[in-house]
Amino acid sequence: FAWEWLSDVAFGASFKAGGLAGVVLLAGLVIASAVTLSARLTLRLGGDIFITAAGSALLLAITSIHWLARPHVFSWLLSLLALEILEREIQHHTNALFAFPVLTLLWANIHGSFMLGLGMIFVYAAGQWLDAGWSHTTKRLAVVGVLSSAATLVNPYGWQLHRHVLDFLKSN
């Protein structure tokens, strides 16, 4: 079950371009981008520069055991991109929210953790509903959540991918 086929393509292309060093470079760039985006998001949300720097160092230390050229490294970056999009919507009502279905489509073909992205958007929608009722933002989040859910079906396995991920989660 090649449920992470798009990450295989990315790693395969990086290997073809630069051998093992290309794979290491790709994984390193993804990890560095995730840590950078985490720090940037923290600072944008009002975090202290020194606490953010210490948190970033801690993040690097804790995650270093998982610094492998494996599909899950893309999930770190994708989850932070999802969080960035959702926070921008809550704070500024940007059109970036409409990139969320594209993000989840890619994510569903990169790693099984795409369900985290769906959970995130529906948690944001529920929180917005609890805070403001059926506001314009709540409706936008709900509609984009439904569109994102549909986008995850665009993969070689259709809805079977979702069943596979749930079966995998139940087995551990």
Side-chain angles (χ1 to χ4, degrees):
F1 207 91
W3 53 316
E4 298 165 338
W5 71 272
L6 195 52
S7 58
D8 291 341
V9 169
F11 283 127
S14 64
F15 182 79
K16 187 173 183 179
L20 186 55
V23 174
V24 171
L25 178 63
L26 175 60
L29 287 173
V30 170
I31 292 165
S33 297
V35 174
T36 301
L37 184 56
S38 172
R40 189 176 132 218
L41 180 61
T42 302
L43 292 172
R44 193 173 58 74
L45 294 175
D48 177 81
I49 185 78
F50 297 110
I51 294 173
T52 300
S56 295
L58 185 60
L59 174 65
L60 287 166
I62 290 171
T63 62
S64 65
I65 194 168
H66 294 285
W67 291 356
L68 306 169
R70 304 259 336 267
H72 69 275
V73 298
F74 293 108
S75 291
W76 300 343
L77 182 58
L78 293 168
S79 62
L80 285 162
L81 288 170
L83 188 58
E84 175 77 22
I85 290 169
L86 293 169
E87 282 297 322
R88 284 185 183 276
E89 175 62 19
I90 296 299
Q91 292 181 358
H92 307 294
H93 306 294
T94 67
N95 287 329
L97 181 63
F98 295 102
F100 207 91
V102 175
L103 180 74
T104 54
L105 184 149
L106 291 171
W107 199 346
N109 288 283
I110 289 174
H111 192 260
S113 63
F114 68 91
M115 290 191 172
L116 174 62
L118 296 178
M120 289 168 68
I121 194 164
F122 286 115
V123 165
Y124 267 75
Q128 188 65 26
W129 176 75
L130 289 171
D131 188 44
W134 280 107
S135 67
H136 179 68
T137 303
T138 305
K139 291 174 188 171
R140 283 169 54 105
L141 287 164
V143 166
V144 171
V146 170
L147 292 173
S148 297
S149 297
T152 65
L153 296 171
V154 182
N155 68 76
Y157 307 101
W159 69 271
Q160 296 285 351
L161 175 63
H162 299 72
R163 188 176 78 181
H164 176 72
V165 171
L166 291 173
D167 287 346
F168 177 80
L169 291 173
K170 285 191 273 184
S171 72
N172 290 325

